[in-house]
Amino acid sequence: MSTLRRLGPTDLMTPPLVLGGNVFGWTADKATSFAVLDAFVAGGGTMIDTADVYSAWAPGHQGGESESVIGDWLKASGKRDRVLIATKVGMLPGEGGEKLAPARIAAACDASLRRLGVEVIDLYFAHQDDDAVPQDAVLDAFGRLIDAGKIRVVGASNFHAGRLKSAIDVAREHHLPHYHVLQPEYNLVSRHKFEGELQDLCVEHNIGVVP
């Protein structure tokens, strides 16, 4: 793969290509998932992206299937030190409530750590915005996880420009963690949600982007 790039102001370095784990434990069985993960690392890949909700929508699934497969692969392969793990909270309700309720963030993080079999999550995304919870409370919850050594960097996924900007302002005002990475919907078919105001905001505030 090509040269590593830094994600915003963080110490996370990754090639432009990140491996999405949406299908692991769903349309890709364990053996296939392991083969894909092995090939990705062999090809120079470093960041694996998943979410606690993958794949709760499939019949008989409850969420966490992708994380569990990745965790099994990490244990079997011994390659934890060669990859960065990104996962997300905010779409799978459970212990502590739903979305970005602080108690839910804390409980979901612990559950993800158990499934992944890791001590720290390199990049932890708010999977979606939650306007029912004050942004300072959300960022404080992520800050507690950073202080506890459970996550390294906080990111935002599926945020529009106005809410990302207000989160930046709140973080500065209250001395709370910033969203240093954004994962927007962005591909050759759907470009309008990122290009323009949201992209400009990321450039202005040095926010790394992982489409």
Side-chain angles (χ1 to χ4, degrees):
M1 293 191 182
S2 59
T3 305
L4 296 176
R5 62 175 183 136
R6 185 181 303 276
L7 292 179
T10 76
D11 62 355
L12 302 182
M13 304 287 290
T14 176
L17 181 63
V18 172
L19 180 63
N22 178 291
V23 299
F24 296 153
W26 174 33
T27 56
D29 63 16
K30 189 172 182 177
T32 301
S33 300
F34 276 31
V36 170
L37 288 159
D38 285 335
F40 177 68
V41 174
T46 61
M47 179 172 280
I48 302 163
D49 175 75
T50 185
D52 62 356
V53 74
Y54 300 164
S55 47
W57 54 83
H61 288 200
Q62 58 185 5
E65 288 78 16
S66 173
E67 290 180 332
S68 294
V69 169
I70 294 169
D72 289 345
W73 173 80
L74 289 171
K75 183 178 180 179
S77 69
K79 295 176 180 176
R80 175 64 179 104
D81 61 346
R82 297 182 59 183
V83 296
L84 299 172
I85 300 297
T87 192
K88 310 179 191 73
V89 58
M91 289 191 180
L92 184 70
E95 181 184 350
E98 60 180 12
K99 296 186 179 179
L100 299 181
R104 178 60 194 147
I105 291 174
C109 179
D110 286 344
S112 290
L113 288 167
R114 287 194 298 270
R115 287 189 291 263
L116 290 163
V118 299
E119 294 183 355
V120 60
I121 294 165
D122 299 297
L123 175 55
Y124 201 37
F125 284 103
H127 204 164
Q128 62 181 352
D129 189 18
D130 184 358
D131 58 9
V133 181
Q135 287 186 313
D136 60 332
V138 173
L139 295 172
D140 179 69
F142 284 126
R144 292 176 185 272
L145 295 178
I146 293 173
D147 292 342
K150 295 181 178 182
I151 67 175
R152 293 172 60 192
V153 175
V154 183
S157 180
N158 301 307
F159 276 50
H160 62 67
R163 288 288 286 179
L164 182 58
K165 176 61 167 61
S166 65
I168 293 170
D169 293 341
V170 166
R172 285 178 173 170
E173 179 182 355
H174 297 280
H175 306 288
L176 294 167
H178 288 240
Y179 292 125
H180 286 309
V181 182
L182 175 71
Q183 187 177 71
E185 178 183 339
Y186 186 68
N187 53 58
L188 291 175
V189 176
S190 177
R191 299 174 55 167
H192 67 283
K193 291 183 179 180
F194 176 66
E195 292 182 353
E197 186 180 5
L198 188 54
Q199 182 180 16
D200 293 343
L201 186 66
C202 290
V203 171
E204 178 184 355
H205 295 279
N206 190 26
I207 297 173
V209 179
V210 181

